Amino acid sequence: MKLTTKLLAATAIMSASAVSAVELEVTHWWTSGGEAAAVSKFAEAWNATGNTWIDGAIAGSGGTARPIIISRILGGDPMAATQLNHGRQAEELIEAGLMLDLTDVAEAGGWKDIVNPSSLLDSCTLDGRIYCVPVNIHSAQWLWLSHDAYEKAGVPVPTNWNEFVASAPALEAAGLVPLAMGQQGWQQNLAFGAITIAVAGLDAWRDVTVNKNADTARGPEYTAVFQAVADARELARGSNVQDWNQATNMVITGMAGAQLMGDWAQGEFSVAQQVEGQDYSCLPGLGLNAILDTGGDAFYFPVNDDPEITAAQKELAALLISPEVQVSFNLAKGSLPVRGDIDMAAANGCMQKGLGILADGGILPSGDQSLSADTQTQIEDLMAEFWSGDMPAAEAQARYADLIAAAD
């Protein structure tokens, strides 16, 4: 009876705007080939309801898009729905009463019973109310390797980060860039985080990122991290691209041996019709730790004064987390679904690795869930400065520790 009631309530919410078609503008920063293919799954599903998805793609990374999104909401020109990362990015907007409360949709759909891990829904919750719908799990700790590049270099494809570092001289001798890296702070910070877990280990990472212990950030574990990152900086010196997908393309075309990038890189390999295990390899946890963070994307719905739009927003929220849409979107995106009750047998080898780690409980919170947007931005700025110049590792560590000490 309880399940039947939930299903009836969910159906009522999803049917609320079906009587008259509604156009909803949806903003996001998914503009690469793989990302565009994935977001089209959402658009197709929404359009199939008789409503219309007005695509508001914003070129550039989240760092470029978020200020534009927030400015529009604060300026009284809100979109109907917007992508953000689940975590603390919308905290102030929620506190200001600018985001739609989705608690009734979540309760009707039984989100608390299906979202896995539960921390994803927790990150959408403030003061017991739910303000976003998580749509995927993205993890940053992946090393992507080009089989073509290693064939040119005449050495085996590495199976972990240490083997990759050891293979760098052979790649350079073959005229290849060892490590593809886009020149943006968020990419460099992502690489820093992945290397931190591999070098310092989970306990030290958690003590700094979650507990904000600046003493650990100044300690020997992080000294080793910053030296490893300085070494990685040298391996990426020949990588002069800007965007992450351009760096991924260097791996796809065999111009670079590897890239440190989140699992969304799978979408680019898929669009290029490359096959995991044949054309490229993917190493979660850099092949050293079977652990992944549970970052990812969620959709928020700014408050508006039109009841018809509000009903449509809730209909879209329910649709985004529905089983069929979760499968189609995440297969295209390369991310893991937020639902723990759907069949992902069609997932490729990389996704299956991620699903296995998730099933084994090898997860940790993402930086977006632990650090404020302001602290994240300051760390990204530091990483951009560090990777683009010759800042000594010790100086970068000291400045990083100061940021952790001041983190909220």
Side-chain angles (χ1 to χ4, degrees):
M1 177 63 73
K2 189 179 205 178
L3 179 59
T4 301
T5 302
K6 283 184 176 180
L7 289 173
L8 288 173
T11 300
I13 289 171
M14 291 186 69
S15 300
S17 68
V19 175
S20 58
V22 177
E23 293 183 350
L24 295 184
E25 181 196 6
V26 184
T27 53
H28 59 87
W29 55 83
W30 289 326
T31 56
S32 75
E35 290 173 326
V39 76
S40 70
K41 302 299 183 182
F42 283 156
E44 290 166 6
W46 180 242
N47 292 338
T49 67
N51 297 296
T52 303
W53 175 289
I54 304 299
D55 199 73
I58 301 172
S61 65
T64 299
R66 280 190 294 271
I68 297 172
I69 291 167
I70 293 170
S71 177
R72 281 190 54 183
I73 295 171
L74 292 175
D77 180 30
M79 60 296 296
T82 187
Q83 170 203 7
L84 289 170
N85 300 118
H86 40 63
R88 300 179 60 184
Q89 292 175 356
E91 200 169 70
E92 294 181 359
L93 293 173
I94 294 170
E95 291 172 343
L98 296 174
M99 289 300 188
L100 182 65
D101 186 339
L102 301 175
T103 306
D104 57 341
V105 187
E107 290 177 347
W111 292 3
K112 288 186 178 179
D113 298 324
I114 61 175
V115 174
N116 178 50
S118 60
S119 60
L120 301 178
L121 196 57
D122 292 341
S123 292
C124 287
T125 304
L126 188 67
D127 297 330
R129 310 299 293 178
I130 296 171
Y131 292 92
C132 69
V133 52
V135 296
N136 63 7
I137 303 169
H138 267 317
S139 48
Q141 298 76 28
W142 292 80
L143 183 64
W144 305 87
L145 298 145
S146 167
H147 287 202
D148 183 48
Y150 278 93
E151 184 176 346
K152 292 175 183 175
V155 292
V157 177
T159 62
N160 60 52
W161 174 255
N162 296 330
E163 291 180 7
F164 162 69
V165 173
S167 74
L171 292 167
E172 292 173 324
L176 304 175
V177 175
L179 184 64
M181 177 65 66
Q183 307 305 302
Q184 294 171 331
W186 74 266
Q187 296 181 58
Q188 295 152 340
N189 187 42
L190 180 149
F192 164 73
I195 293 172
T196 297
I197 292 173
V199 174
L202 298 177
D203 290 343
W205 178 91
R206 193 181 300 274
D207 200 30
V208 171
T209 306
V210 179
N211 300 334
K212 303 176 182 63
N213 188 332
D215 290 337
T216 301
R218 295 186 181 96
E221 295 98 335
Y222 269 70
T223 298
V225 167
F226 276 90
Q227 186 55 58
V229 176
D231 293 341
R233 176 177 63 181
E234 298 309 309
L235 300 182
R237 285 294 189 196
S239 181
N240 297 314
V241 296
Q242 184 74 8
D243 296 327
W244 72 267
N245 52 305
Q246 294 174 317
T248 305
N249 190 62
M250 292 178 66
V251 178
I252 290 172
T253 57
M255 295 172 58
Q259 180 189 22
L260 282 165
M261 186 47 58
D263 54 6
W264 50 89
Q266 287 185 79
E268 303 305 300
F269 287 98
S270 178
V271 168
Q273 299 184 327
Q274 292 212 332
V275 178
E276 182 269 334
Q278 176 180 311
D279 300 306
Y280 68 98
S281 290
C282 53
L283 303 179
L286 312 194
L288 297 174
N289 293 300
I291 195 83
L292 297 172
D293 68 359
T294 50
D297 303 292
F299 277 84
Y300 291 77
F301 301 82
V303 168
N304 74 94
D305 297 327
D306 187 335
E308 186 179 43
I309 295 295
T310 300
Q313 289 174 313
K314 292 186 175 184
E315 180 184 354
L316 178 58
L319 182 71
L320 295 178
I321 201 172
S322 64
E324 298 81 2
V325 175
Q326 276 285 292
V327 171
S328 63
F329 169 75
N330 284 293
L331 285 177
K333 191 69 164 63
S335 49
L336 304 182
V338 299
R339 294 185 68 118
D341 62 346
I342 57 178
D343 183 4
M344 293 295 290
N348 70 9
C350 296
M351 292 183 70
Q352 294 295 353
K353 290 178 183 179
L355 288 166
I357 293 172
L358 181 62
D360 291 339
I363 59 175
L364 66 162
S366 72
D368 290 323
Q369 292 170 297
S370 303
L371 300 171
S372 70
D374 181 59
T375 298
Q376 285 280 72
T377 298
Q378 292 180 66
I379 294 173
E380 287 176 6
D381 289 345
L382 171 61
M383 288 301 151
E385 183 180 353
F386 179 64
W387 281 80
S388 64
D390 296 303
M391 182 189 299
E395 179 183 342
Q397 181 182 3
R399 288 175 57 179
Y400 174 77
D402 288 343
L403 292 177
I404 294 299
D408 55 3

